[in-house]
Amino acid sequence: MSKILVTGGAGYIGSHTSLALLQAGFEVVVLDNLSNSSAEALRRVAQITGRAPSFVQADVRDGAMLKEVFAQHPIDTVLHFAGLKAVGESVAQPLRYVDNNVHGSQVLLQAMADAGVFKLVFSSSATVYGEPAQMPIAESCPVGRPTNPYGRSKLMVEDMLRDLAAADQRWRMAILRYFNPVGAHETGLLGEDPRGTPNNLVPYMAQVVVGRLPELAVYGNDYPTADGTGVRDYIHVVDLAEGHLRALQALHFRSGAHVWNLGTGQGYSVLDMIRAFEVASGRPVPYRIAPRRPGDIAICYADPTKARLELDWVARRGLPEMMSDTWRWQHMNPAGYG
Ligand code: NAD
Ligand code: WQD
C-alpha cells in the first residue's frame, strides 16, 4: 500500500494532519528534525488513533537521507509542513529562513523527482498576499509583497512549485494558503506547544490564563476596524487537517499547481478573541493596550469559495469550539508536551 510522507509531521499542524491521515486509513511516514517540536506529539497521535506513524528524525535538507526514505517506503505523496515560521526571527535571521524553507523545499523536490514522486501538498500562508488590495481575499488576488522574510520564503517556494509544474506535467501540487490556525484536538492530547514565548495571539493568551505569562499586550486599538483591534480569520486546526485530505483527493484528477485558501471567511478582532477565550475558560484574560506591532495589517480574512467548490471543503468548527479546544489542551498540558 502506498504511503504518505509528512515532513514536519511532529509539529502543530503536521501532527493534527498525520492523525487525520491515520484515521482515514493512510500509511504515514513522518520526517522531522524536531527543531520546533517533540516526539511526544507522535506518541499522542498513536495513543489517539491506535496506529503509530513511522518516524524518521532527519532534516529535510539532507538529500541522501531523503533518498533512503523514498527507497525504503512506497511513498506516493508528500505533505510538506517542515519549515521555520517565526516572523520576528526571520527578520533577524533571513538567511536561516532561506536555507530552511527555500533550500529545504528545493532538496525535497529534487529527491521527489529522483524517486518519481510527483504529488505534493505545500503549507503556504495568507502572508503571501502582503497588504491585500481587497477583502475578503480570493486566490485570484495578486500576491503582494510579503512584509517579512518568512513570508517571502513562502512566496519563493510557491514560485518554485509553479515553475516546476510548468516545466514538467507529471507534477500535481496543492498550494494551501492557511489563514490563522488555532485550536487543538478535542481529546486535549494534541495542541500547539511553541518553544519560548509565543508569537501568536491564541497561544500567548492561553499561557496568560494558565499563569505562565502575566498579561496579554493587545497590539493597537486604533486600526480602522469595529473596535480598533486587528481582525483575522482564525481557523480550527482540525478543519485545516481535513482540508489537506480533501486536497489530496483533488490531486487524483488534477495535474499542475493549484492554490487554495484555507480559512473560514469570518474575521474576529483581538477583543472578540479575548472575550471568547474568557467564556471558554471561565477565567479572565488580563490585558493592556500596547502600540501596534510593526508589519501587522488591520484586517485579513479569506474568501474560501474556491476550496468549497473545488475541494468540497468548508471549515465547520466555530470560534467557541476553537477556544474551548485550546483551553482543554492548555489546561491539561500547562507546560505543553513537557
Ligand atoms: P511547527 O513549527 O509546529 O511545525 C513545523 C515542523 O517542521 C516542526 O516539527 C519542526 O521541527 C519541523 N522542521 C522545521 N525545519 C525542519 C527541517 N529543516 N527538517 C525537518 N523538519 C523541520 O509549525 P506549524 O504551525 O505546524 O506550521 C507548519 C507549516 O505551516 C509551516 O511550513 C508553516 O510555515 C506553515 N504555516 C503555519 C501557520 C501558523 O500560523 N501556524 C500559518 C501559515 C502557514
Ligand atoms: C493575530 C492578531 C496581532 C499577539 C501570523 C503570521 C502569519 C501566519 C499566522 C504563518 C494581530 C494581535 C498578537 C499578541 C496581539 N503564520 N496580537 N497580541 O500576525 O495574523 O499572522 O501567524 O504563516 O504569517 O504573520 O497572527 O496570532 O500573531 O496575530 O494583539 O501578543 O493578534 O496584532 O492583530 P498574524 P498573530
Side-chain angles (χ1 to χ4, degrees), residues 9-25:
Y12 172 46
I13 305 169
S15 60
H16 286 83
T17 305
S18 296
L19 185 148
L21 287 167
L22 289 164
Q23 284 180 329

PDB file of all heavy atoms in Angstrom, residues 9-25:
ATOM      1  N   GLY A   9       5.940  16.585  10.398  1.00  0.00           N
ATOM      2  CA  GLY A   9       4.741  15.927  10.920  1.00  0.00           C
ATOM      3  C   GLY A   9       4.654  15.865  12.436  1.00  0.00           C
ATOM      4  O   GLY A   9       3.615  15.482  12.981  1.00  0.00           O
ATOM      5  N   ALA A  10       5.740  16.240  13.139  1.00  0.00           N
ATOM      6  CA  ALA A  10       5.657  16.286  14.604  1.00  0.00           C
ATOM      7  C   ALA A  10       5.191  17.657  15.083  1.00  0.00           C
ATOM      8  O   ALA A  10       4.912  17.848  16.267  1.00  0.00           O
ATOM      9  CB  ALA A  10       7.016  15.966  15.218  1.00  0.00           C
ATOM     10  N   GLY A  11       5.104  18.620  14.171  1.00  0.00           N
ATOM     11  CA  GLY A  11       4.732  19.986  14.540  1.00  0.00           C
ATOM     12  C   GLY A  11       3.235  20.143  14.769  1.00  0.00           C
ATOM     13  O   GLY A  11       2.476  19.168  14.718  1.00  0.00           O
ATOM     14  N   TYR A  12       2.847  21.378  14.993  1.00  0.00           N
ATOM     15  CA  TYR A  12       1.459  21.680  15.366  1.00  0.00           C
ATOM     16  C   TYR A  12       0.471  21.215  14.288  1.00  0.00           C
ATOM     17  O   TYR A  12      -0.383  20.345  14.547  1.00  0.00           O
ATOM     18  CB  TYR A  12       1.360  23.189  15.613  1.00  0.00           C
ATOM     19  CG  TYR A  12      -0.030  23.737  15.831  1.00  0.00           C
ATOM     20  CD1 TYR A  12      -0.937  23.108  16.687  1.00  0.00           C
ATOM     21  CD2 TYR A  12      -0.437  24.907  15.192  1.00  0.00           C
ATOM     22  CE1 TYR A  12      -2.203  23.627  16.893  1.00  0.00           C
ATOM     23  CE2 TYR A  12      -1.691  25.440  15.394  1.00  0.00           C
ATOM     24  CZ  TYR A  12      -2.580  24.795  16.241  1.00  0.00           C
ATOM     25  OH  TYR A  12      -3.822  25.323  16.427  1.00  0.00           O
ATOM     26  N   ILE A  13       0.596  21.717  13.086  1.00  0.00           N
ATOM     27  CA  ILE A  13      -0.387  21.378  12.047  1.00  0.00           C
ATOM     28  C   ILE A  13      -0.098  19.978  11.489  1.00  0.00           C
ATOM     29  O   ILE A  13      -1.013  19.192  11.229  1.00  0.00           O
ATOM     30  CB  ILE A  13      -0.382  22.438  10.925  1.00  0.00           C
ATOM     31  CG1 ILE A  13      -0.609  23.842  11.517  1.00  0.00           C
ATOM     32  CG2 ILE A  13      -1.455  22.136   9.897  1.00  0.00           C
ATOM     33  CD1 ILE A  13      -0.354  24.981  10.541  1.00  0.00           C
ATOM     34  N   GLY A  14       1.195  19.651  11.368  1.00  0.00           N
ATOM     35  CA  GLY A  14       1.567  18.346  10.823  1.00  0.00           C
ATOM     36  C   GLY A  14       1.092  17.195  11.700  1.00  0.00           C
ATOM     37  O   GLY A  14       0.685  16.142  11.181  1.00  0.00           O
ATOM     38  N   SER A  15       1.123  17.358  13.018  1.00  0.00           N
ATOM     39  CA  SER A  15       0.679  16.257  13.895  1.00  0.00           C
ATOM     40  C   SER A  15      -0.835  16.059  13.785  1.00  0.00           C
ATOM     41  O   SER A  15      -1.321  14.923  13.729  1.00  0.00           O
ATOM     42  CB  SER A  15       1.097  16.498  15.351  1.00  0.00           C
ATOM     43  OG  SER A  15       0.532  17.692  15.851  1.00  0.00           O
ATOM     44  N   HIS A  16      -1.574  17.168  13.724  1.00  0.00           N
ATOM     45  CA  HIS A  16      -3.033  17.027  13.570  1.00  0.00           C
ATOM     46  C   HIS A  16      -3.379  16.416  12.213  1.00  0.00           C
ATOM     47  O   HIS A  16      -4.348  15.658  12.088  1.00  0.00           O
ATOM     48  CB  HIS A  16      -3.726  18.384  13.742  1.00  0.00           C
ATOM     49  CG  HIS A  16      -3.781  18.842  15.173  1.00  0.00           C
ATOM     50  ND1 HIS A  16      -2.727  19.494  15.788  1.00  0.00           N
ATOM     51  CD2 HIS A  16      -4.748  18.741  16.114  1.00  0.00           C
ATOM     52  CE1 HIS A  16      -3.058  19.759  17.040  1.00  0.00           C
ATOM     53  NE2 HIS A  16      -4.278  19.319  17.267  1.00  0.00           N
ATOM     54  N   THR A  17      -2.599  16.749  11.195  1.00  0.00           N
ATOM     55  CA  THR A  17      -2.889  16.199   9.861  1.00  0.00           C
ATOM     56  C   THR A  17      -2.475  14.733   9.789  1.00  0.00           C
ATOM     57  O   THR A  17      -3.196  13.911   9.195  1.00  0.00           O
ATOM     58  CB  THR A  17      -2.176  17.042   8.782  1.00  0.00           C
ATOM     59  OG1 THR A  17      -2.568  18.404   8.950  1.00  0.00           O
ATOM     60  CG2 THR A  17      -2.549  16.577   7.383  1.00  0.00           C
ATOM     61  N   SER A  18      -1.347  14.375  10.413  1.00  0.00           N
ATOM     62  CA  SER A  18      -0.941  12.958  10.450  1.00  0.00           C
ATOM     63  C   SER A  18      -2.016  12.113  11.126  1.00  0.00           C
ATOM     64  O   SER A  18      -2.350  11.007  10.678  1.00  0.00           O
ATOM     65  CB  SER A  18       0.384  12.800  11.204  1.00  0.00           C
ATOM     66  OG  SER A  18       1.411  13.468  10.511  1.00  0.00           O
ATOM     67  N   LEU A  19      -2.572  12.667  12.199  1.00  0.00           N
ATOM     68  CA  LEU A  19      -3.648  11.975  12.904  1.00  0.00           C
ATOM     69  C   LEU A  19      -4.850  11.746  11.980  1.00  0.00           C
ATOM     70  O   LEU A  19      -5.378  10.631  11.882  1.00  0.00           O
ATOM     71  CB  LEU A  19      -4.054  12.809  14.128  1.00  0.00           C
ATOM     72  CG  LEU A  19      -5.085  12.224  15.077  1.00  0.00           C
ATOM     73  CD1 LEU A  19      -4.790  12.698  16.488  1.00  0.00           C
ATOM     74  CD2 LEU A  19      -6.494  12.627  14.709  1.00  0.00           C
ATOM     75  N   ALA A  20      -5.230  12.804  11.254  1.00  0.00           N
ATOM     76  CA  ALA A  20      -6.382  12.685  10.340  1.00  0.00           C
ATOM     77  C   ALA A  20      -6.090  11.673   9.230  1.00  0.00           C
ATOM     78  O   ALA A  20      -6.972  10.900   8.833  1.00  0.00           O
ATOM     79  CB  ALA A  20      -6.721  14.048   9.747  1.00  0.00           C
ATOM     80  N   LEU A  21      -4.853  11.645   8.754  1.00  0.00           N
ATOM     81  CA  LEU A  21      -4.483  10.686   7.699  1.00  0.00           C
ATOM     82  C   LEU A  21      -4.579   9.260   8.220  1.00  0.00           C
ATOM     83  O   LEU A  21      -5.132   8.372   7.561  1.00  0.00           O
ATOM     84  CB  LEU A  21      -3.044  10.952   7.228  1.00  0.00           C
ATOM     85  CG  LEU A  21      -2.818  12.198   6.373  1.00  0.00           C
ATOM     86  CD1 LEU A  21      -1.320  12.504   6.268  1.00  0.00           C
ATOM     87  CD2 LEU A  21      -3.416  12.040   4.977  1.00  0.00           C
ATOM     88  N   LEU A  22      -4.043   9.027   9.431  1.00  0.00           N
ATOM     89  CA  LEU A  22      -4.092   7.678  10.012  1.00  0.00           C
ATOM     90  C   LEU A  22      -5.539   7.255  10.222  1.00  0.00           C
ATOM     91  O   LEU A  22      -5.916   6.117   9.924  1.00  0.00           O
ATOM     92  CB  LEU A  22      -3.322   7.643  11.339  1.00  0.00           C
ATOM     93  CG  LEU A  22      -1.801   7.745  11.212  1.00  0.00           C
ATOM     94  CD1 LEU A  22      -1.159   8.092  12.551  1.00  0.00           C
ATOM     95  CD2 LEU A  22      -1.212   6.445  10.669  1.00  0.00           C
ATOM     96  N   GLN A  23      -6.364   8.188  10.713  1.00  0.00           N
ATOM     97  CA  GLN A  23      -7.771   7.853  10.946  1.00  0.00           C
ATOM     98  C   GLN A  23      -8.500   7.552   9.640  1.00  0.00           C
ATOM     99  O   GLN A  23      -9.464   6.800   9.633  1.00  0.00           O
ATOM    100  CB  GLN A  23      -8.461   8.979  11.723  1.00  0.00           C
ATOM    101  CG  GLN A  23      -8.066   8.945  13.207  1.00  0.00           C
ATOM    102  CD  GLN A  23      -8.719  10.031  14.034  1.00  0.00           C
ATOM    103  OE1 GLN A  23      -8.985  11.127  13.520  1.00  0.00           O
ATOM    104  NE2 GLN A  23      -8.955   9.760  15.304  1.00  0.00           N
ATOM    105  N   ALA A  24      -8.017   8.149   8.549  1.00  0.00           N
ATOM    106  CA  ALA A  24      -8.645   7.884   7.248  1.00  0.00           C
ATOM    107  C   ALA A  24      -8.066   6.634   6.592  1.00  0.00           C
ATOM    108  O   ALA A  24      -8.445   6.289   5.473  1.00  0.00           O
ATOM    109  CB  ALA A  24      -8.463   9.093   6.333  1.00  0.00           C
ATOM    110  N   GLY A  25      -7.121   5.961   7.278  1.00  0.00           N
ATOM    111  CA  GLY A  25      -6.622   4.680   6.780  1.00  0.00           C
ATOM    112  C   GLY A  25      -5.321   4.756   6.010  1.00  0.00           C
ATOM    113  O   GLY A  25      -4.847   3.733   5.507  1.00  0.00           O
TER     114      GLY A  25
END
